Amino acid sequence: MNWARAGDLGIWAGLSLLVLAESGARQDPYWMQAGCIAALGAGVFLRRSRPMIGLSVVISVQVVILAASLGTTLGIPIALVPAISLLSYSSGRRETQLRHFVIMASCEVAALLALGLLLQQDEPVGEAVLSWLVMLLLALLLVVLPWLIGRYRAQQVLLTTAGWDRAERIEREHRLEIAQERLRERSRIAEDMHDSVGHELSLIALRAAALEVDAELPERHRRAARELRQAAATATERLGEIIGVLRDGAAPVVPPQESVADLVDRAAASGLAVKLVQEGSLELSPMVDRAVHRVVQESLTNASKHAPGAEVTVTVSRIADQVEVRIADTGAPKPAGVPSTGRGLAGLTERVRLVGGTLTAQPRSTGGFEVVARIPQTGGRPEPESEKAIESATADERATVRRNARRGLIAAVAAPLAIGLVVGLVALGYYLVTGYSSILRPNVYDTLRIGQPVDEVERLLPAMEMIDAPTERQPAPKDWACRFYRPAPPFSANYAYRLCFTDGALVAKDIVQTGSVEPTPEGTP
């Protein structure tokens, strides 16, 4: 048995207890109790697969009971009403077709009127119709309203789910765009590899050609030089073919041998307020040099796009065996309002990762934005892609929303319970304090005499009076002032002492009953 069926069984048991309690008090026949319990079982266990049928079964039983009970002195059984409201809500959650609900409700209401007129023929038609109208109003409150609430909740869940689906679709599209940008960045890396490695292979071929035509070398050495030149040429050709496959057709965005200083000068000439700070001499491998150039280029492009008018500082420094590139801007005097797709930073992150480095990009505490890349000077093995980086942000947000919703539901239930508990404890504490402060011991009560002055009596009385005094059990004349006291602590006696005063003297003292049980003989003076 799964948890859903276990829950249905618990609901059926709880609703059946209501029926048994009411039917036992009314002394209804056993067949009637069995029929109601069977109808409840059908309604509860069909509320997921066939909610409208389950609701119809329980309402039909209630209609028959109402038709037989209206106009009689037996009273109207109401134990099925909570089940009808619950099943109506459940039907609205799962069966949102208004047509089906209207047809079912109309048939049940018509059946109630017809059965009422048929079974209560001795009653005037006007009274039967009036009773039917009253039942109709109650049905609107107890059946239609829960169904509408359930339907609203179903539509709300549907809209929420559709919203999450759309958010996930947008996120998938965004991830595809980022993946494409990363592929483009890899094609740029391939192009840089072609430029750097191809240049070195060309130098090898050139030197081999010089050896090949050197007359001072033996023939076998010139033949080896020729083979070396041919191998270098073949490697250059193969490299070009591989790079051609990797490239996506994008044109080179920078001159192949442009340095960071040249790039900064070119950006400054175009109107960007940028300065370059270089700390120490750096000898970088070709791939690391291209990665540093790419980070500076993309960061300057972002600064000019998103922070026009800001001052940008490019700092290239050496930290141990790493090169650190820091591009910081002061922030735009006026927001540019250009949306950011995040593709450029994704490409930078991929470029830096592939040469063994790390990149961070975040707003500065003093305003503006900052991009920091740290790369080994000689390059390194790329770090494996983090699983967390490819997780769905929408899924995380949905989990957060659900977690907050659960917390809100718990708080909504726990807060009233906590408040009620505190209020109950305070009320109980106050009741106990007043109860123990209003005890008039029996031996003291026995010493009191009719006609004794108030001053003498008050010296013997406790500090407080009873707060739950049985004032209605024994009426007293209007000019009497009566006080009530306990003979023992709270919950331990079924009587109280009443002392009445008038004209400054005690005029009556007697024992009064506080509960449904007569005072015990031990309480009789």
Side-chain angles (χ1 to χ4, degrees), residues 68-382:
S69 302
L70 289 175
T72 67
T73 59
L74 300 176
I76 300 176
I78 60 172
L80 292 179
V81 171
I84 292 174
S85 298
L86 175 63
L87 295 177
S88 180
Y89 172 81
S90 180
S91 176
R93 281 294 306 271
R94 293 168 174 83
E95 178 62 64
T96 57
Q97 291 293 330
L98 181 62
R99 175 177 70 255
H100 299 163
F101 180 76
V102 170
I103 293 175
M104 184 275 297
S106 301
C107 293
E108 296 292 353
V109 169
L112 176 61
L113 178 60
L115 286 176
L117 295 175
L118 180 64
L119 297 179
Q120 306 294 336
Q121 297 182 2
D122 296 337
E123 295 292 328
V125 176
E127 292 186 7
V129 173
L130 181 60
S131 300
W132 176 78
L133 291 175
V134 172
M135 293 297 106
L136 180 60
L137 293 176
L138 291 176
L140 293 176
L141 178 63
L142 300 174
V143 181
V144 178
L145 181 59
W147 188 86
L148 292 176
I149 294 174
R151 187 185 186 193
Y152 167 78
R153 179 58 181 160
Q155 292 176 342
Q156 184 184 40
V157 171
L158 182 63
L159 290 175
T160 303
T161 303
W164 284 118
D165 291 342
R166 182 175 182 273
E168 289 180 342
R169 184 171 63 254
I170 293 174
E171 186 184 26
R172 284 195 299 270
E173 294 173 355
H174 184 64
R175 286 203 302 269
L176 288 175
E177 293 176 354
I178 290 178
Q180 292 174 357
E181 182 63 27
R182 295 171 68 181
L183 290 176
R184 281 193 290 269
E185 190 64 35
R186 292 188 181 189
S187 72
R188 294 189 186 100
I189 295 173
E191 184 178 352
D192 292 341
M193 184 185 300
H194 177 270
D195 295 337
S196 59
V197 179
H199 177 70
E200 298 296 333
L201 289 174
S202 298
L203 292 178
I204 294 173
L206 181 61
R207 291 175 181 174
L211 293 174
E212 183 183 358
V213 298
D214 191 348
E216 298 180 356
L217 291 177
E219 178 61 26
R220 64 186 184 88
H221 289 169
R222 289 200 300 270
R223 187 169 57 252
R226 183 171 57 254
E227 293 174 356
L228 178 60
R229 177 182 58 79
Q230 292 174 349
T234 303
T236 303
E237 184 180 355
R238 296 289 183 269
L239 178 62
E241 293 175 355
I242 295 172
I243 298 305
V245 173
L246 292 177
R247 292 182 57 185
D248 61 352
V253 294
V254 295
Q257 298 301 326
E258 184 182 44
S259 66
V260 172
D262 296 336
L263 174 60
V264 172
D265 292 339
R266 187 157 56 88
S270 65
L272 183 63
V274 57
K275 65 178 181 179
L276 173 63
V277 178
Q278 288 185 313
E279 301 175 355
S281 60
L282 298 171
E283 295 183 3
L284 307 177
S285 66
M287 293 304 298
V288 174
D289 181 71
R290 289 294 88 195
V292 170
H293 184 281
R294 187 76 181 89
V295 170
V296 175
Q297 180 197 31
E298 182 66 26
S299 299
L300 293 180
T301 302
N302 288 340
S304 62
K305 182 189 301 183
H306 301 288
E311 297 180 358
V312 184
T313 301
V314 178
T315 305
V316 182
S317 59
R318 177 179 178 178
I319 300 177
D321 59 345
Q322 290 187 332
V323 57
E324 181 184 86
V325 185
R326 186 181 300 269
I327 303 93
D329 64 71
T330 58
K334 183 178 180 181
V338 179
S340 175
T341 62
R343 295 194 297 269
L345 290 176
L348 284 186
T349 302
E350 179 68 7
R351 163 75 74 130
V352 173
R353 187 186 71 84
L354 289 176
V355 291
T358 59
L359 183 137
T360 58
Q362 59 188 2
R364 303 171 61 192
S365 59
T366 57
F369 200 80
E370 183 178 62
V371 176
V372 180
R374 293 183 176 88
I375 309 171
Q377 284 184 254
T378 58
R381 296 179 61 85

Side-chain angles (χ1 to χ4, degrees), residues 20-57:
L20 293 176
E22 183 186 59
S23 298
R26 292 166 49 87
Q27 297 182 352
D28 292 331
Y30 292 114
W31 61 265
M32 180 177 176
Q33 300 180 32
C36 291
I37 292 176
L40 285 176
V44 170
F45 288 99
L46 289 175
R47 70 188 183 97
R48 288 189 175 86
S49 59
R50 297 290 186 271
M52 197 63 67
I53 296 178
L55 177 62
S56 301
V57 170

Side-chain angles (χ1 to χ4, degrees), residues 417-456:
L417 291 178
I419 294 174
L421 180 62
V422 171
V423 173
L425 291 176
V426 171
L428 179 61
Y430 178 73
Y431 180 79
L432 292 177
V433 169
T434 56
Y436 280 93
S437 300
S438 61
I439 297 176
L440 178 61
R441 299 298 178 183
N443 57 344
V444 177
Y445 173 79
D446 293 339
T447 61
L448 300 179
R449 304 184 311 276
I450 300 297
Q452 191 173 3
V454 175
D455 296 340
E456 295 181 6

